[in-house]
Amino acid sequence: MVDSTTRIKYRPATELVYVDNSDGKGPKDSYNAASMPIYQTATFKQSSSTQMGEYDYSRSGNPTRSHVENHLAKIMSAKRAFAVNSGMTALDVITRLVKAGEEVIAGNDLYGGTNRLLSFLATHNNVKTHHIDTTDSETIIPYLSEKTRLVLLETPTNPLMKVADIPRISEIVHERCPNALVVVDNTMMSPYLQKPLELGADIVYHSGTKYLSGHHDLMAGVVAVKDDAIGEKIYFTINATGVGLGPFDCWLLMRGVKTLAVRMDRQQANAIQIADFLQAHKFKVHYPGLKTHPQYELHAKMSRGPGAVLSFETGNVELSEKLVELTRLWGISVSFGCVNSLISMPCRMSHASIPAAVRAERAMPEDLIRLCVGIEDVDDLLEDLYHALTASGALKLAN
């Protein structure tokens, strides 16, 4: 017999959908609505002039936000989770933990917006970032010092799909720099496929605009922590700067999270077929779901699947440009995680803010094409891609 006070832990897809406030942590709805109401209000009336209730001003807290934050904490194996107004806001809040003169260690294959923020911190806040190859855990050791405050990881990286060993890097960092925090951008995987806090990370963040939302109709970010003291510091910054996610956007985010499993399962299955197709036609494909990926086994140990983003090289920039523009179903757009399939050239779009010389130094191919696979019928996606590959001449060059 199961103790009624013990929360049952279900399988991942069920946990995404099932919301249980019986532990007393979440806000209560007096009408037991099946969907959490949207508390679209800036302020809350108080019953006393000296004693404030749980909520007083939505910048500091709102029942709809609390609802989605409690649910996110559960699915991310976190002590606390926070919903903010974009993924970059999430990272900005985290970097407020770094003081002038302290240092950050980050990968050399990063999202362009992340690189932009780290460059700003270097020029304006005297916060130096060391960029390293995170695929080799030992390369971090020479850069660790008493100044190290954050170790920032993307895994898989965007757009080259490199994989970092979260458990090993976390072990090295915590052993040599007890005051340093391991931070993981888990946007590419989502909590459904990978849980960095269970792998040794201290903080995990997401662009909720991507897979958590799933429809590209919402801007949101999420920060999750496994330590209450760090959580208090994160909350202080969110409250002080007013970047908490609004009630309606919280409701949209919650709705998106509930369908994450069915979307990701379909998108991932499509991505695997497309990666196989491209590799069969002799293209160099970057995707952790392929056994030819150098960190295939490592990724499989940390995650439940390879995800739905991949990139490949044509060998020629002009051909890549033609190919991208010749697709019909694949929307030319930045971002990923949407139910619709997207195609882009990172060096021209999402990573264009990284100087060309830096891109070359980090071995980012200018001809690289990134595919963000959606939930369409995979045969339609393959046919459209084959048409673009053929019409552009890229298929002939690869073979």
Side-chain angles (χ1 to χ4, degrees), residues 53-108:
E54 183 177 359
Y55 300 100
D56 59 357
Y57 193 52
S58 281
R59 172 168 55 77
S60 302
N62 179 284
T64 313
R65 190 189 308 153
S66 296
H67 182 71
V68 71
E69 288 178 339
N70 287 329
H71 189 61
L72 288 166
K74 180 192 74 170
I75 66 173
M76 297 169 77
S77 299
K79 281 285 188 70
R80 294 182 70 179
F82 307 91
V84 294
N85 53 32
S86 76
M88 287 310 304
T89 299
L91 179 58
D92 180 59
V93 167
I94 294 167
T95 59
R96 304 294 182 103
L97 297 171
V98 187
K99 299 175 182 177
E102 293 182 327
E103 297 181 350
V104 176
I105 300 174
N108 57 9

Side-chain angles (χ1 to χ4, degrees), residues 25-71:
K25 292 182 179 179
K28 302 298 181 184
D29 171 50
S30 58
Y31 296 102
N32 295 317
S35 175
M36 182 64 180
I38 304 168
Y39 285 85
Q40 193 65 47
T41 181
T43 61
F44 298 82
K45 294 180 180 179
Q46 307 299 315
S47 58
S48 168
S49 62
T50 57
Q51 295 183 342
M52 305 300 285
E54 183 177 359
Y55 300 100
D56 59 357
Y57 193 52
S58 281
R59 172 168 55 77
S60 302
N62 179 284
T64 313
R65 190 189 308 153
S66 296
H67 182 71
V68 71
E69 288 178 339
N70 287 329
H71 189 61

Side-chain angles (χ1 to χ4, degrees), residues 175-192:
E175 179 182 305
R176 294 172 180 260
C177 298
N179 294 324
L181 301 170
V182 177
V183 181
V184 178
D185 178 350
N186 197 43
T187 303
M188 191 77 76
M189 286 288 96
S190 85
Y192 179 56

Side-chain angles (χ1 to χ4, degrees), residues 270-271 273-279 281 283 285 310-312 314 320 322-330 341-344 369-373 377-395:
N270 285 353
Q273 290 195 54
I274 291 166
D276 288 339
F277 165 81
L278 289 169
Q279 190 172 66
H281 284 286
F283 290 99
V285 183
L310 60 117
S311 59
F312 69 101
T314 66
S320 291
K322 287 182 182 178
L323 192 162
V324 168
E325 294 173 2
L326 283 168
T327 57
R328 299 188 184 97
L329 284 175
W330 298 82
S341 292
L342 304 176
I343 190 169
S344 67
I369 293 175
R370 188 182 71 179
L371 299 178
C372 308
V373 186
D377 189 299
V378 71
D379 290 332
D380 287 326
L381 292 175
L382 287 169
E383 288 171 6
D384 188 42
L385 191 57
Y386 182 78
H387 162 77
L389 288 165
T390 304
S392 66
L395 193 59

Side-chain angles (χ1 to χ4, degrees), residues 333-367:
S333 178
V334 297
S335 198
F336 58 88
C338 180
V339 291
N340 304 97
S341 292
L342 304 176
I343 190 169
S344 67
M345 290 185 67
C347 292
R348 299 288 187 271
M349 300 171 70
S350 57
H351 293 64
S353 62
I354 301 176
V358 176
R359 294 198 302 265
E361 180 184 318
R362 298 177 184 175
M364 185 180 295
E366 294 292 315
D367 64 304

Side-chain angles (χ1 to χ4, degrees), residues 43-266:
T43 61
F44 298 82
K45 294 180 180 179
Q46 307 299 315
S47 58
S48 168
S49 62
T50 57
Q51 295 183 342
M52 305 300 285
E54 183 177 359
Y55 300 100
D56 59 357
Y57 193 52
S58 281
R59 172 168 55 77
S60 302
N62 179 284
T64 313
R65 190 189 308 153
S66 296
H67 182 71
V68 71
E69 288 178 339
N70 287 329
H71 189 61
L72 288 166
K74 180 192 74 170
I75 66 173
M76 297 169 77
S77 299
K79 281 285 188 70
R80 294 182 70 179
F82 307 91
V84 294
N85 53 32
S86 76
M88 287 310 304
T89 299
L91 179 58
D92 180 59
V93 167
I94 294 167
T95 59
R96 304 294 182 103
L97 297 171
V98 187
K99 299 175 182 177
E102 293 182 327
E103 297 181 350
V104 176
I105 300 174
N108 57 9
D109 180 30
L110 292 172
Y111 167 56
T114 301
N115 191 82
R116 184 189 302 118
L117 179 58
L118 294 177
S119 297
F120 177 88
L121 293 175
T123 57
H124 291 72
N125 292 16
N126 188 29
V127 174
K128 183 177 182 179
T129 296
H130 300 282
H131 292 279
I132 67 168
D133 178 6
T134 53
T135 62
D136 181 354
S137 303
E138 306 304 312
T139 60
I140 197 173
I141 294 175
Y143 298 96
L144 291 170
S145 71
E146 68 278 356
K147 293 182 179 181
T148 306
R149 181 55 172 155
L150 299 181
V151 174
L152 178 59
L153 304 175
E154 286 184 22
T155 183
T157 61
N158 176 16
L160 291 176
M161 309 304 292
K162 297 178 180 179
V163 176
D165 190 336
I166 299 173
R168 178 57 183 151
I169 292 176
S170 298
E171 180 183 25
I172 292 172
V173 172
H174 293 147
E175 179 182 305
R176 294 172 180 260
C177 298
N179 294 324
L181 301 170
V182 177
V183 181
V184 178
D185 178 350
N186 197 43
T187 303
M188 191 77 76
M189 286 288 96
S190 85
Y192 179 56
L193 295 182
Q194 184 170 267
K195 298 181 188 293
L197 295 181
E198 293 183 356
L199 298 172
D202 301 292
I203 303 175
V204 63
Y205 73 100
H206 291 259
S207 169
T209 310
K210 313 298 193 293
Y211 288 112
L212 293 177
S213 166
H215 295 80
H216 281 184
D217 54 7
L218 167 68
M219 294 290 293
V222 176
V223 181
V225 302
K226 64 181 182 183
D227 178 79
D228 285 326
I230 296 297
E232 281 301 314
K233 293 179 180 180
I234 294 292
Y235 173 73
F236 177 86
T237 299
I238 292 172
N239 184 38
T241 57
V243 296
L245 195 63
F248 182 67
D249 286 342
C250 286
W251 183 84
L252 283 175
L253 180 59
M254 185 68 182
R255 184 175 65 166
V257 167
K258 289 183 177 182
T259 63
L260 173 59
V262 291
R263 287 185 284 107
M264 182 62 88
D265 284 343
R266 176 61 174 262

